[in-house]
Amino acid sequence: GENVEQHPSTLSVQEGDSAVIKCTYSDSASNYFPWYKQELGKRPQLIIDIRSNVGEKKDQRIAVTLNKTAKHFSLHITETQPEDSAVYFCAALGERDDKIIFGKGTRLHILP
Amino acid sequence: NAGVTQTPKFQVLKTGQSMTLQCAQDMNHNSMYWYRQDPGMGLRLIYYSASEGTTDKGEVPNGYNVSRLNKREFSLRLESAAPSQTSVYFCASTQHGSYTEAFFGQGTRLTVV
């Protein structure tokens, strides 16, 4: 079955700097890769996603890149702000079944 | 719309007790999921249901059973709770095959003593 690895587990960046979180997946049949943000004590919420026929997608300060050959995808946050502090999860979903498999999460700290 | 609603929000059980976590969605989604969240372990899939009448095991199904009662409702049952099942449980739903957002419930914090 699908396995999603996520790095790093914790990331601290200065406010205004960029943050990058990386994920790898194992199932070459996976073709949808969402990213979720979870604030303390709240439920995960989708922030951006990418499908396998696209290499990059941007939405204001966040972007996701996908390398299907290497089975890598990454989340990029530019001009980080205090409200970006949260736990971020990557995930993968394939065509063969309906499982959404998540990485273990990255706790992002934005330092003042 | 309420989205995905889970009950209860908090629960304390004694070892060996049983309970059912309830989940309902009003978005006409056909896929529903149960996850558990533990510190440092992320969101691990317990069971999922791609459509009414079907259920499949996820990554950590042992000790749990599920029922897809109808299109709206997907329940998770612990027959004999163990301290290792202390966790935060999330229900989620999405539209099968559409590759769109999965919506989560507010979570159930379960403690087994």
Side-chain angles (χ1 to χ4, degrees), chain A residues 16-61:
Chain A
D17 287 350
S18 296
V20 180
I21 302 170
K22 298 182 179 182
C23 290
T24 61
Y25 61 98
S26 61
D27 189 350
S28 57
S30 292
N31 52 16
Y32 174 64
F33 307 94
W35 286 87
Y36 285 79
K37 176 182 180 181
Q38 185 180 29
E39 297 177 346
L40 189 62
K42 297 191 176 180
R43 70 192 80 186
Q45 291 189 297
L46 181 75
I47 55 170
I48 195 167
D49 56 12
I50 191 167
R51 300 187 189 185
S52 60
N53 59 348
V54 175
E56 183 176 4
K57 183 178 179 180
K58 290 184 180 179
D59 183 4
Q60 298 184 339
R61 295 187 298 108

Side-chain angles (χ1 to χ4, degrees), chain B residues 82-95:
Chain B
S84 61
Q85 294 178 306
T86 293
S87 188
V88 178
Y89 292 85
F90 285 100
C91 176
S93 73
T94 189
Q95 193 64 15

Side-chain angles (χ1 to χ4, degrees), chain A residues 84-99:
Chain A
D84 295 329
S85 292
V87 178
Y88 292 81
F89 293 98
C90 62
L93 172 64
E95 278 188 339
R96 279 198 284 254
D97 55 37
D98 220 28
K99 293 181 183 179

